[in-house]
Amino acid sequence: MAKDTFIRINPQDMSRLKKSMAKLEKLDKGGLSSEVGAWAMHTAKDASALAPKKTSKLSQSYFPERDGNTARVFNTKLYAPFIEFGTGAFVDLSELSKLGIPTSYASQFRGQGIKQVNIPAKPHLFPSASKNFDILFKNIQKRILNIWKK
């Protein structure tokens, strides 16, 4: 019959673990939320700058929104996804793939073949989001390292 195995945790190790967890909670108390909010703000600004400027209505319609540790960037113009991804034969889903987003989301812009409307993709939101994700991750990493040094 197998002998019962007990794991013993050194009380000093447990104390260090609790201190480390308390440090990580400091990040959550506002640092993470403010970094996520900054990501949304910068992404909206960059998407506006990269958007086609035929009438400027598209570029003026990007807005950031934050709720705690989550954020989103949205455009109020219904045609924004058609400009971002293209239509018909020109649908380009490569920016979604780079971010690991299922391409099924944008596949709806291919159309059903009833009309041949082929608008080339002019990605501006997703490249902006991708660029700013890199910055977001670096900023969070810096915050964590600064907390750990204290």
Side-chain angles (χ1 to χ4, degrees):
M1 185 176 267
K3 233 180 174 180
D4 288 341
T5 305
F6 293 97
I7 298 174
R8 294 179 193 242
I9 298 174
N10 182 329
Q12 291 171 335
D13 290 341
M14 186 55 82
S15 176
R16 277 190 289 213
L17 177 61
K18 286 180 182 178
K19 285 178 185 173
S20 294
M21 295 305 288
K23 286 180 179 182
L24 282 177
E25 285 176 12
K26 289 179 185 176
L27 172 66
D28 195 44
K29 291 210 174 144
L32 184 60
S33 180
S34 85
E35 292 297 345
V36 168
W39 167 85
M41 224 171 42
H42 291 299
T43 298
K45 181 181 170 221
D46 292 350
S48 293
L50 287 175
K53 304 284 189 281
K54 191 171 184 179
T55 65
S56 293
K57 289 182 180 180
L58 180 68
S59 65
Q60 294 171 355
S61 301
Y62 278 101
F63 300 97
E65 188 173 80
R66 184 187 78 184
D67 182 15
N69 290 341
T70 61
R72 71 182 184 127
V73 176
F74 64 95
N75 191 298
T76 57
K77 299 297 177 195
L78 295 176
Y79 61 87
F82 297 100
I83 303 299
E84 180 81 21
F85 302 117
T87 62
F90 292 122
V91 169
D92 179 0
L93 309 178
S94 61
E95 293 297 328
L96 291 177
S97 297
K98 286 179 192 175
L99 289 169
I101 298 170
T103 56
S104 59
Y105 167 73
S107 293
Q108 62 187 315
F109 303 110
R110 289 193 196 281
Q112 298 173 345
I114 298 167
K115 288 184 179 180
Q116 284 299 325
V117 180
N118 295 308
I119 300 170
K122 295 180 183 152
H124 50 282
L125 174 60
F126 284 87
S128 299
S130 182
K131 176 188 113 181
N132 286 298
F133 273 135
D134 290 342
I135 294 167
L136 169 68
F137 296 139
K138 286 176 186 170
N139 289 345
I140 290 172
Q141 188 175 30
K142 282 180 195 173
R143 282 181 180 263
I144 290 171
L145 289 174
N146 286 337
I147 288 169
W148 235 257
K149 288 178 185 176
K150 294 179 183 177

